[in-house]
Each structure stands twice: as structure tokens, then as C-alpha cells.
Amino acid sequence: MSFDDTFRWDGELTVTRHDRKTGASFVIRLDSTRLGPAAGGTRAAQYASFAGALEDAGKLAGAMTLKMAVSNLPMGGGKSVIALPAPRKDIDQVTWARILTLHAENIDKLRGNYWTGPDVNTNSADMDTLNETTEFVFGRSAERGGAGSSAFNTSLGVFEAMKATAAYRGLGTLDGLSVLIQGLGAVGSGLATIASEAGARLFVSDTDPERLASAEQLGHTVVGVDAVLSTPCDIFAPCAMGGVLNSEIASELPASAVVGAANNILADGEAGAILHERGILYAPDFVTNAGGAFHLVGREVLGWNQDTVEEHTRGIGDTLTEVYSIAQIENTTTDQAARILARRRVDTANVTVPA
Ligand code: NAD
Ligand code: PPY
């Protein structure tokens, strides 16, 4: 990536910092505050380069803007990335506490223009730690007055998305359909439970053998990490990491639909077009995985109770059906159609701030 590519980004603000003592680098990107303060989780991971961390934060922040808009939530989009000096599991408690405190200082300096929450490798306990330094944190533990983990609600939303997608694709109900879940973490395991209760035949994959062992005990079929993208299934559900579908993989994927929790499933725009041409119905991730945002923003900003959060999360199915019909009418990909819907919602939102 060249210098120009790294900074040719249409978002509003980038904040960066490096800590020599821990070796951690910090990025906060505010993509848009047009609909409200930018919100999006804190991801901790190792990156091959600082440019890669910037790029990831920018793409993830952009997805948050779309997610909030399409979900009618009064927030903008942002995201934080902490580029770690070692795998998260190898970082000791003292170092991790310092990393979180520095990150919280950075967030606090944005004075409420950015609100964080949990993401890959951060959890409610980490949100409690951030909250010792800054108030701009969603998803603290219930004991500290927060909404806690958003994972269950995200699983529920993906399940609703799956039902709507199967119906639109002409596959009927989930009963008897083969569903391949990549990643049995907090969201993927919850999804496995609900989908199997609905009668889906589950194929599962994870890099963690312990997670696979418990899934196997439940009667699910284990698929090797390298075989996931070539295993035939009705619905492929990426619930591990983003960028799993590039144009090459999209050309070969043996599935009828793609519905998953991971952010930024499509590695490039071309992959979406290829899925479209092949008749593989792709549920745009920023619509499908909004259950987490409904949980965090619903509970902590809008004062919703659990029933209201679930009601909105179940609406993800209807939103997707609307996206699919826009795609048909406009003769475009479902990803483009979801962007059209998000744009319409931004344009009709009652906001007074400049575009
Ligand atoms: P998690 O860390 O709990 O789970 C991820 C799982 O994927 C882990 O079990 C990990 O071992 C597995 N994994 C990693 N690489 C893999 C590979 N190559 N093949 C198979 N498995 C692999 O994360 P989570 O909270 O379950 O979130 C899953 C995805 O959904 C993430 O991309 C996250 O950004 C996205 N998401 C989560 C939420 C939420 O509420 N938790 C909301 C929106 C989006
Ligand atoms: C996501 O949904 O991808 C997140 O990052 C979680 C989130 C949602 C809303 C506010 C803060 C974090």
C-alpha cells in the first residue's frame, strides 16, 4: 500500500498513537458523525504494518456508518484498532491494563464524538477498565451498569437474516438446510444453537480444537479450516474474520447463500458482483450483524428493554427482504442495494449537522 492509498480515505478523522513501552499502536477512525456521535468497537489484533491497521480501522468504521444508518440508529460510524506487539493471549495483565488505559485516554480526548464497545479480542471486562478513564464506552458489564455482551443478540439477528434469506432464495425454512458456520466464538456458537433448534444441519469450523470438540458432541459435522470454502452447503455463515470472500473464492463457492456475522465479509466489490451473477444470495454484513448495535445503542442510549431490543433485532429479516427487492428492482448487487437503503435513511434523517 502506498502513502497515498493509506490516507486517501473519505472519513472525518483519524487519531493515532504509539506506545514505546508496550509496543502497541493505536488507531481511532471516525468515518461519519452525520447521524450522531461515531460508534464502533475496539479491535485488538496483530497487523503486518501500521498502514494495514489504518486500512482495517477505516473499512470497519465505514461499515459502522452503514450499519447505524440502515438500522435507523442515531449514531455515526467509527472504530478503533489496537495493533498488538504479540498475540493477545501472550500479553500479560499489566501490559494489557496499560494498553487499555492509553486507549481510553485517546477516546476521552475526542470528548464524546466517538463511543467505543467490544469487538474482536475485547470484552465487557475490558470495557469496565476503559470506563475507569473515559465515560464514552458501551458494553460494560451489568454490574457496572452496562449492557454487557452483545453476542447473543448478534446471533439472533444473523438467525433472522438466515431465515429471510433462505425464504427469498427459494430454499424454504431452515429445517433440513445445511448451514456451514466458520468460527464458533461468541456469535457463531449462539447461532449454531438457534439454527440447529430450527432444524438446520450444521457444519462447523474453528481453529480452536476445544470449540470443535464441544460442537462435535452436539452432533455437528466438523469441517477442516482449509476445506471450509470448498464444502458444499445451502448457507455459508462466516462468523470469524472479514475479507473471506475475494473474487476468486466467490467464483467457486459451493453455496446458495452467504449470511454471516463477520464485518466486511467481501474482500472487494468484484466478489459481490460475482456472487450476484452466480445466483448466490449475499446478505450484506452491515445489515445482518446489526443485532449487537441494537443491543448496545438500544439499551444504553435509547433506554430499550430486552424485549424492545429483540423486536428491533427480529426486524433485520424485513430489512434484508427490502434490500433484496431493491437489488432486483435496481438490477444491482445486494451490497449496493443495502448501501442505497442506508443512503436513503441518511438523506431522510432529521439531522441538522452539515453533510
Ligand atoms: P470471537 O472472537 O468470540 O469468535 C471468533 C471465532 O472464530 C473464534 O472461535 C476463533 O477461534 C475462530 N476463528 C478464527 N479464525 C478462524 C478461521 N480461520 N477459521 C475458523 N474459525 C476461526 O468473535 P465473535 O464475537 O463471535 O465475533 C465474530 C465475528 O462477528 C467478528 O468478525 C466480529 O467482528 C463480528 N461481529 C461481532 C459482533 C458481536 O456482537 N460480538 C457484532 C457484529 C459483528
Ligand atoms: C459492531 O457491531 O461491529 C461493533 O463494533 C459493536 C458496537 C456497536 C455499536 C456501538 C459500539 C460497538
Side-chain angles (χ1 to χ4, degrees):
M1 177 189 281
S2 71
F3 179 91
D4 282 352
D5 285 341
T6 307
F7 292 97
R8 200 179 292 130
W9 178 66
D10 292 329
E12 289 180 14
L13 186 69
T14 302
V15 172
T16 67
R17 181 174 183 178
H18 177 72
D19 178 41
R20 204 181 287 272
K21 195 164 173 185
T22 57
S25 296
F26 303 84
V27 179
I28 303 175
R29 279 193 139 171
L30 278 62
D31 178 70
S32 167
T33 55
R34 181 162 156 73
L35 293 180
T42 296
R43 172 168 299 200
Q46 285 190 283
Y47 288 87
S49 65
F50 189 60
L54 276 174
E55 187 190 30
D56 201 28
K59 284 186 178 165
L60 289 164
M64 290 306 301
T65 301
L66 292 166
K67 190 179 314 194
M68 297 299 184
V70 90
S71 306
N72 280 324
L73 286 168
M75 306 295 289
K79 206 88 171 191
S80 308
V81 157
I82 303 176
L84 298 174
R88 171 66 189 93
K89 65 176 172 42
D90 297 339
I91 294 181
D92 64 72
Q93 262 185 324
V94 174
T95 305
W96 183 238
R98 177 180 166 86
I99 288 173
L100 289 179
T101 302
L102 294 180
H103 180 45
E105 283 176 12
N106 302 340
I107 293 170
D108 208 56
K109 285 182 179 142
L110 292 167
R111 292 193 270 170
N113 286 296
Y114 169 67
W115 284 73
T116 199
D119 196 79
V120 174
N121 278 328
T122 60
N123 56 26
S124 286
D126 298 324
M127 297 306 113
D128 290 346
T129 305
L130 293 178
N131 188 228
E132 286 165 16
T133 304
T134 183
E135 67 183 285
F136 306 114
V137 181
F138 293 131
R140 288 165 297 148
S141 63
E143 304 82 73
R144 301 281 190 95
S149 169
S150 54
F152 168 73
N153 221 61
T154 304
S155 310
L156 182 67
V158 179
F159 174 66
E160 293 298 325
M162 242 178 217
K163 287 195 293 185
T165 305
Y168 202 91
R169 180 65 181 72
L171 300 170
T173 69
L174 292 189
D175 196 7
L177 293 189
S178 53
V179 172
L180 197 171
I181 302 180
Q182 180 187 44
L184 282 177
V187 177
S189 59
L191 175 64
T193 305
I194 330 178
S196 99
E197 278 166 12
R201 290 183 294 118
L202 288 195
F203 295 75
V204 295
S205 180
D206 203 293
T207 43
D208 180 343
E210 274 180 36
R211 291 189 170 162
L212 286 179
S214 25
E216 219 166 7
Q217 274 182 349
L218 293 170
H220 308 327
T221 306
V222 169
V223 175
V225 169
D226 295 333
V228 168
L229 300 166
S230 56
T231 298
C233 59
D234 292 308
I235 302 177
F236 173 48
C239 295
M241 64 287 175
V244 280
L245 297 183
N246 59 25
S247 27
E248 205 180 320
I249 292 164
S251 307
E252 303 286 332
L253 191 77
S256 300
V258 176
V259 187
N263 282 303
N264 297 334
I265 289 172
L266 302 179
D268 50 62
E270 188 61 18
I274 293 170
L275 294 177
H276 181 68
E277 279 159 25
R278 295 187 59 221
I280 299 176
L281 192 54
Y282 168 66
D285 45 38
F286 57 86
V287 182
T288 300
N289 69 20
F294 281 127
H295 175 81
L296 296 172
V297 178
R299 293 292 289 270
E300 298 196 29
V301 177
L302 302 170
W304 292 349
N305 62 21
Q306 186 53 31
D307 286 348
T308 311
V309 168
E310 283 193 25
E311 198 182 305
H312 282 268
T313 303
R314 291 193 188 279
I316 287 173
D318 290 340
T319 305
L320 268 179
T321 306
E322 192 177 349
V323 165
Y324 296 148
S325 91
I326 293 172
Q328 223 161 10
I329 292 162
E330 304 282 339
N331 189 25
T332 188
T333 66
T334 53
D335 185 64
Q336 283 304 326
R339 286 166 195 268
I340 291 171
L341 185 60
R343 171 53 49 197
R344 277 186 201 159
R345 290 188 171 173
V346 172
D347 289 345
T348 56
N350 187 15
V351 285
T352 50
V353 289

